Amino acid sequence: MNPQHALILSHDVVGTHMAGPGIRYWEMARVLATQQRVTLIAPHPIDLRTDSVICGRYEWGNTDSLAQWIHTADVVIANGHVLHAHPELAQIVQPLVLDLYDPTLLENLELFRAAPDDERRSHNAQDVVLLQQQLAAGDFFLCATERQRDLYIGALMLSGRITPDYVDTDPQLRNLIDVVSFGLASEPPVKQRPVLRGVLPGIGADDVVLLWTGGLWDWMDPLTLVQAMPQVVVEHPSVRLVFLAGSHPGNLHPMRMPQETKKLAESLGLLNHTVFFYEQWIPYVERADFLLEADIAISLHRNHLETAFAAVRSRFLDHVWAELPSVVSAGDATAELVQQYNLGYVVPTEDPNAITLALNDLIDNPQRRDQCRQHIKQFKPMMSWQTRLSPLLTWLKTSATSVKKRPPQCAITNSGINMNHTKPKTAHEQFERLTTLVRQAERLWSLQPTPPCATDSFAQLIQMLRLYLQRGSAPIYEQQTHFNAIVVQMLYWMSDEIQRRQQLEHTIQELIPKLEALTTAHHQTRMMVEELAGAYHQTHCMLHDLLAEYQETKEAVDRIGVSAREDGAGNL
C-alpha cells in the first residue's frame, strides 16, 4: 500500500528555466502523481503547472517554511543537498528518501580546482560532513548508475548502515539503495519555431549543425572540441558548432569554462563564423526547437573522478529524445550506453584528432546517422521516466509504510559531545574544530532520547516510555528542538564566516611579500634620492665656488684693464 501523500523537495529551480535537478524532480512528481497525491516544492516559485501535482515554495534555510509542508506528508523525497540548509530533515518521523544522484563531493573537487587551497579544503570538509549526515539520515537512497551504487554502498558500509540483520532481510540492499537514472519525457519533441537556422547570423538552412546541449561546466571539455573544429572545417566548410551557453538559472558557483571556450574560439578565428554561443538558458518546453535543428549532438568531458561516477547526463538524454547521433567522451555511464547500444561515437578524452574523425564520419555518411537513429528508436522505451522510476515506485508501494525510524544519534558516544577546551592555534584548526562541532550538533540537536544498546524488548520499553513522556511535554520538546535547529544554523553561519576569513587571510598573506617588496623599493628609492640630494648639494657648492672664483678673476682682469688704460694715457 502506498503512502497517501508524497512530498518532493528540490534544492534547485523548478520551472520554465531549469537545469537537470529541476527537470528530474518535475518529471518524478508527474510520474508519482499517477499513483498517489504528490506535492513538489522548491526554494523558488514554480511557474510550471499540472493538475496532478501540487506545487509550492519553501525558504532555503528557514525551518518553519519547510515544517509546514512536512507536517502534511506521509513520505518525504529530497535531494540530499537539502540537508545542508535543513539538518532538521534528518529528524522527521516520516520515511525519508534521499536522492544522491549527483555526487556533490566529487563535483566540487573540479568546481573549486582553481580556488585557494584553504577554500578547497574547507569545501571538501563540508562536503564530507554533509555526506555523512545524508548516509545517517536516509531510509532509502536513490543513485544514478550501478557504478554510483557501488560507491555509496562502500560509504554505507563505513557509516555502519550495513549490518548482518539488514543483509539477512535484504541481501542485495535494493530496499536501501537503488538506481533511478534520468529518464526521457513521454511526449515526443515537437518543433514550434525556428531558433538557429536562418535566425543566428552565419547559420544557413543547409549547414551541418553540431549542437553542444549541456552547460559549459568546468568539469566538461568544450575546449578540445573547439581545437578539433579547424580540421573539421577543412573537410566540411559548411559545418557550424553551436554551444547552448546560457547562465545556470540557479545560484551556481561562477564557471570559468564559458569564457575560456569563447576566448579559444576567437583565437582560432572561429567565433561567430564556425563556432557560435547561444547566450540564453533554453526554457524546458522550448528545447525541442534547438534539438530538432541539429544534425549531431556532442557531450565531452575531461578524465577525473566526477566523470567516473557521474550520472547519465540529462542533456545527453535530450539527444536520445530527439533521436540525434551523439559524440561523447569515454569513461562515464553515458559512454557505456552509446557504445552498448550503438548510439553514435565514443572518443578518448581530450583527443581532438579522434573527435575530428568521428565528426567527419558522421557528416560524410548519412546512412551511418540513420543507423544511429534506428538504434535510438529501439533504445528509447527503456529510458522512459516511468521505467527509470520503477525502483522508487516499488519501494513506495512495498516498503515505505514499514520503515522503522532509527535514532539518528546512535553513532554518538554515551558521553555526548567531546568538549575539547584546547584553544585552536591556527585558523585552519579553528575551522576543523567548528566542523566537528557542527557534525555533533547535527546529530544531537533533536530532543529525541537515545536508547542504549539493548535487546529489542528493552528498546520497545524505552520507546513506550518516550511516547508517554512526550505526550505531556510535546510543546516544550518542539520549542527546544526549534531552538536547537536555530543553533545549528548559527554554526553553519559561523563556519561560512570562518571560511571567508580564511580566504581573506590567504589574500593578505599573498599581499604581504608584495608590500614588503614595495617597502624595500621605497627605501632604496629614498636612499637614491638622498644620495642625489647630497650630490646636488655638492654640485651647488662647487658651482658657488666656481662663480666666486670667476667673479674674482673678472675683477682682477678689470683692474688690469684699467691699469693698462691709465698707463697708456700717461705715455701719451
Side-chain angles (χ1 to χ4, degrees), residues 335-398:
E336 292 176 358
L337 292 176
V338 172
Q339 193 160 23
Q340 180 179 356
Y341 295 98
N342 200 9
L343 310 178
Y345 277 102
V346 176
V347 296
T349 56
E350 301 180 72
D351 188 340
N353 292 327
I355 295 171
T356 301
L357 291 174
L359 290 175
N360 284 342
D361 186 63
L362 285 172
I363 295 169
D364 287 333
N365 295 290
Q367 297 87 351
R368 169 68 174 139
R369 298 203 299 272
D370 289 341
Q371 288 175 355
C372 290
R373 291 191 185 96
Q374 292 303 316
H375 295 145
I376 292 170
K377 289 180 185 292
Q378 298 170 8
F379 173 70
K380 286 173 71 173
M382 69 181 71
M383 296 302 294
S384 69
W385 276 111
Q386 186 74 32
T387 302
R388 295 294 93 196
L389 285 163
S390 60
L392 175 59
L393 296 170
T394 299
W395 186 85
L396 290 171
K397 184 179 298 184
T398 62

Side-chain angles (χ1 to χ4, degrees), residues 449-500:
T450 305
C453 297
T455 63
D456 290 341
S457 297
F458 184 76
Q460 293 173 2
L461 177 61
I462 291 295
Q463 180 69 17
M464 291 174 61
L465 289 173
R466 180 192 308 166
L467 293 173
Y468 176 78
L469 292 173
Q470 286 182 345
R471 286 172 185 167
S473 57
I476 300 175
Y477 268 63
E478 182 178 357
Q479 182 178 1
Q480 185 63 49
T481 299
H482 179 69
F483 172 80
N484 293 347
I486 293 174
V487 171
V488 174
Q489 294 296 326
M490 291 175 64
L491 287 173
Y492 279 132
W493 177 84
M494 291 171 62
S495 177
D496 291 339
E497 287 299 310
I498 290 178
Q499 180 182 338
R500 280 191 284 269

Side-chain angles (χ1 to χ4, degrees), residues 428-445:
H428 179 69
E429 289 179 359
Q430 187 179 25
F431 179 77
E432 292 296 326
R433 177 70 55 77
L434 183 59
T435 299
T436 300
L437 289 174
V438 170
R439 185 184 301 120
Q440 292 171 337
E442 287 171 341
R443 292 169 175 170
L444 294 174
W445 70 273

